[in-house]
Amino acid sequence: MRLLTCKETTRLVSQGLDRELAFGERVALRLHLAICIGCRRAGRQMRYLRQAVRKLAVVDVRSSR
Amino acid sequence: MPAPDDFRSQLETLRPYLLRYAGLQLRDAAAAEDCVQEALLAALAGQASFAGRSNLRTWLTGILKHKIVDAIRRQAREPALPQEGEDAADEFDALFRRNGHWAERPAGWDDPDGALEQAQFFRALEQCLERLPARTAQAFMMREHLGLETPEICKELGITPTHCWVMLYRARMTLRECLQQTWFGR
C-alpha cells in the first residue's frame, strides 16, 4: 500500500468527521498517524474545533464586551 | 402547562440566545431576526407540543434550526454568493510542500480545555470564522454549529458531497491556522 502524504492524511481525517471512512482508508490513516505527530496534532485540533463551535452559541458574550 | 403569558415571557428570555444562535449561522442580523421571530411564533402556536418536555431552550433551538435552514434555502435560490476563486486554494497549498508533507509541522496546543472556559477565546474563534470565505463558512457552520449531516448540507447548497468535503476540510485547516496564530501560538 502506498503511504499517505500529510495533505492526504489531513483530508481524510477531516472527512472522517463527516462520513464513515472505508476500511482501507482507516488502515492507511492509522499507519500514517502512527508515525506523524504533525498530522496527529492537526487531527486533534480539527476535532477540538467541533467542540469549540458547539459551545459558541451558549457563551455569554455580553459579559466580555 | 404554564399560563400563556408565563410561557410567552419564558420564550422572551431566550430571545438573546436565539438571536446569537441564528446570527452565527446567517451572518445577517435582519435575516437572523426574522428567523427568531418565526421560531418564537411557531413556539407560541405549538405550546401544546412542548408540554412535558424539560428543556425549553433545546426545544426552541430545534424549531429555530428549521427556520434557519429555510432561510438558507431561500438564500440559495437568490443570485448565488460569488464562487470562491482558486486563489484560496493556492494560499491553502502553502501549508504543504509539493510532495504533500507539511511545510511547517503544526504545533501542539497548550491547555485547549482551559480556552473553552474563556470568553476571549470564543471571540478569537468568531474572528477566525469571520475571515473565512462566505460559502466555506456557511457550509462549516451548517455542519458544526447546526449539526447537519453532509447529505443535507449538499442538498440545501446544491453542491456535490465531494465539493462539500473539500469546503469543510478547507474551513477546518484555515481555522486551525488562524487559532494557532491568534490564540494558541501567542
Side-chain angles (χ1 to χ4, degrees):
Chain A
M1 190 187 335
R2 192 180 62 81
L3 289 177
L4 298 177
T5 65
C6 298
K7 192 172 180 176
E8 292 165 333
T9 300
T10 50
R11 192 159 49 206
L12 267 188
V13 168
S14 175
Q15 289 190 18
L17 292 168
D18 304 318
R19 66 173 175 93
E20 180 135 17
L21 299 181
F23 178 74
E25 291 174 320
R26 290 202 303 273
V27 172
L29 201 54
R30 213 169 300 160
L31 263 178
H32 182 103
L33 290 175
I35 54 159
C36 181
I37 189 174
C39 286
R40 283 203 298 278
R41 283 174 180 161
R44 205 176 300 139
Q45 291 164 7
M46 286 193 266
R47 287 189 294 277
Y48 174 76
L49 276 173
R50 169 166 293 178
Q51 217 186 328
V53 170
R54 281 184 186 162
K55 284 193 82 174
L56 254 185
V58 290
V59 178
D60 189 356
V61 280
R62 282 161 303 168
S63 66
S64 63
R65 278 184 183 157
Chain B
M1 199 187 298
D5 281 351
D6 285 358
F7 189 66
R8 192 184 295 258
S9 63
Q10 278 177 36
L11 292 180
E12 272 310 314
T13 61
L14 285 166
R15 185 186 285 269
Y17 159 78
L18 297 171
L19 279 172
R20 175 157 169 77
Y21 189 95
L24 281 168
Q25 176 67 55
L26 295 171
R27 287 183 165 190
D28 173 344
E33 192 97 37
D34 288 348
C35 283
V36 170
Q37 201 57 34
E38 284 174 32
L40 289 173
L41 286 173
L44 271 178
Q47 185 182 357
S49 72
F50 173 68
R53 292 179 205 234
S54 54
N55 194 322
L56 184 60
R57 192 173 80 180
T58 307
W59 180 69
L60 258 178
T61 306
I63 297 174
L64 179 61
K65 221 179 264 193
H66 287 290
K67 303 295 177 193
I68 294 173
V69 173
D70 289 345
I72 293 171
R73 195 176 303 138
R74 282 195 300 269
Q75 275 177 4
R77 281 206 215 99
E78 286 165 13
L81 292 167
Q83 292 289 328
E84 262 113 51
E86 290 307 303
D87 296 0
D90 293 345
E91 201 179 318
F92 182 71
D93 283 339
L95 284 177
F96 297 99
R97 286 194 246 127
R98 200 164 296 164
N99 65 9
H101 289 275
W102 292 105
E104 194 184 336
R105 202 165 62 188
W109 286 356
D110 197 30
D111 195 20
D113 292 338
L116 296 179
E117 304 301 323
Q118 296 179 57
Q120 274 200 335
F121 168 75
F122 288 98
R123 253 188 295 171
L125 175 58
E126 270 187 79
Q127 278 164 4
C128 287
L129 284 165
E130 280 160 21
R131 281 198 230 159
L132 286 179
R135 277 172 63 89
T136 306
Q138 187 179 44
F140 177 77
M141 290 304 266
M142 287 173 89
R143 179 75 187 106
E144 306 293 34
H145 175 55
L146 300 186
L148 303 181
E149 296 296 333
T150 23
E152 189 168 8
I153 300 174
C154 298
K155 192 183 83 187
E156 301 303 348
L157 299 182
I159 57 179
T160 63
T162 307
H163 187 180
C164 195
W165 290 323
V166 169
M167 287 211 289
L168 293 171
Y169 173 54
R170 276 201 193 144
R172 291 183 180 120
M173 294 296 274
T174 311
L175 289 170
R176 254 199 63 248
E177 270 303 291
C178 183
L179 281 181
Q180 169 65 31
Q181 279 164 21
T182 61
W183 186 267
F184 290 105
R186 287 174 314 170

